[in-house]
Amino acid sequence: MSSDRPSRPTRVEAAFRVRYKTLDDLVVGYSKNLSKGGLFLRTDRFMPMDTRVRLHIELPDGGGEITVECRVVYVREETDWGSVGQPPGMGIQFLDPNDEARGRIEKFIAEFGMRGARAAEAGPRKRSIRVLVVDDDTAYCKLAAEPFRDRGDTVAVAHDGIEALAQCIRARPDVVLCDVQMPKMDGWQLLRMIRARPALADVPFVFLTTLTSEEDRLLGYRLGVDDYIEKPYRPLEVAARADRAISRAARRREAGAAAASDKSTLRGDVEQVSLASVLSFLDLEKKTGVLEVDGLYQARLFVRDGSVLRVEREVLEHGSATSDREAVFELLDWRRGTFEFQAGTVGGEDRLRSNVTSLLLEHARVRDEAARDG
């Protein structure tokens, strides 16, 4: 990321450039930040709150540039690193009242995907995907199905879990987009039944829901859901996230990874389920294995009978922690990233010598003290 001053007098005080190298980077950035009307700029050049800045967003593969005016809504300086476990920078909010920038990004994502599909047709013709949309609300069914039908995919619709399961048995879908609260059979039970059937176990499954509690999301990840999208949603975001879930499932199959129904695996997003909740679940279930966390850097927490024994980090210079205990506290402060727990035998030294409850209580105390001192 680079920054430069505007070349002519204007109300804009500074300009920043963000470059997305791949479509996947753009999709992830859009779903996490841009779709909500802003993003976090990793920079050591800080501007006062409410300062007007110009953001140049470079699209991948020569897709051009989108320029949008923004304002600074918060600043995280270098001195805050140790207390929040996040890099220095600024949060900025788009000032475009007509959402023009977001609309252009959505259009690019959709058109870029179609260009890639046409390029792939130099070999055997790539088939359209089969999408199953499950929702008892007809309007939401139509909204979710729209982007897939527009690009030529096959879309089936069901209004409850039983009807959806029958459609899956008759014709295996490439992805299931499902509401949670439905009559006859809800989304939880449908997910359980799909994951329990060998022929359907690795079908990507995405919840479209108004449920936002960590308990609900953790339950979904325990059962094998691939992603959550909150209602109300943008149709093109649904299509982009569904494509991403399909791609991840294909990579797991190619790598010979365990199917999504494997109860030894728990995976999810830190933004949706905190690491504190994940560790509490592992403690409650007395799980043994390795919890991998990927965010500012990659870390592995070795867990035995629900207790964290030690922490290993791939890139130590990206963190400030000097001990295993501090490393756990640093990870607990993360608000973005992904996690995946794989059950298995864990040996070696117990460097923490604390149960999860004690660690969480100590982390809360340290954070409260830091807030008071600050």
Side-chain angles (χ1 to χ4, degrees), residues 173-193:
D174 292 292
V175 64
V176 177
L177 307 174
C178 184
D179 186 25
V180 175
Q181 298 166 307
M182 298 181 296
K184 299 183 183 178
M185 179 192 293
D186 63 21
W188 305 121
Q189 186 62 17
L190 175 62
L191 177 57
R192 287 189 183 97
M193 296 189 72

Side-chain angles (χ1 to χ4, degrees), residues 245-283:
I246 293 171
S247 296
R248 284 200 304 257
R251 288 196 296 271
R252 288 198 297 268
R253 285 194 295 269
E254 291 171 2
S261 60
D262 185 349
K263 300 263 190 295
S264 66
T265 300
L266 171 71
R267 63 173 63 89
D269 193 313
V270 174
E271 193 172 17
Q272 297 173 342
V273 177
S274 70
L275 288 177
S277 293
V278 175
L279 291 177
S280 295
F281 166 73
L282 297 177
D283 181 38

Side-chain angles (χ1 to χ4, degrees), residues 161-223:
I162 295 177
E163 182 185 355
L165 182 60
Q167 294 212 36
C168 288
I169 293 171
R170 285 197 297 267
R172 173 188 159 105
D174 292 292
V175 64
V176 177
L177 307 174
C178 184
D179 186 25
V180 175
Q181 298 166 307
M182 298 181 296
K184 299 183 183 178
M185 179 192 293
D186 63 21
W188 305 121
Q189 186 62 17
L190 175 62
L191 177 57
R192 287 189 183 97
M193 296 189 72
I194 285 179
R195 292 292 179 247
R197 303 182 74 87
L200 301 172
D202 62 346
V203 170
F205 197 106
V206 178
F207 274 138
L208 312 177
T209 179
T210 56
L211 298 179
T212 58
S213 75
E214 287 204 340
E215 291 78 7
D216 288 327
R217 294 182 184 279
L218 185 56
L219 173 59
Y221 286 131
R222 288 171 56 190
L223 296 175

Side-chain angles (χ1 to χ4, degrees), residues 23 60 69 332 341:
L23 179 63
E69 291 194 7
L332 286 171
F341 176 78

Side-chain angles (χ1 to χ4, degrees), residues 49-119:
M49 293 283 289
D50 289 323
T51 298
R52 203 176 185 113
V53 299
R54 180 171 294 126
L55 180 66
H56 300 286
I57 302 173
E58 284 192 23
L59 302 175
D61 198 40
E65 181 179 286
I66 294 175
T67 301
V68 58
E69 291 194 7
C70 315
R71 71 182 183 93
V72 177
V73 292
Y74 70 91
V75 176
R76 183 190 300 142
E77 298 190 31
E78 188 74 36
T79 53
D80 297 328
W81 164 269
S83 62
V84 300
Q86 297 289 335
M90 302 185 299
I92 62 172
Q93 180 182 53
F94 296 170
L95 292 176
D96 177 8
N98 300 316
D99 290 337
E100 179 183 355
R102 282 181 283 184
R104 290 179 61 191
I105 293 171
E106 289 178 353
K107 182 178 180 182
F108 175 82
I109 289 172
E111 292 180 349
F112 187 101
M114 290 306 295
R115 290 203 304 270
R118 286 192 291 270

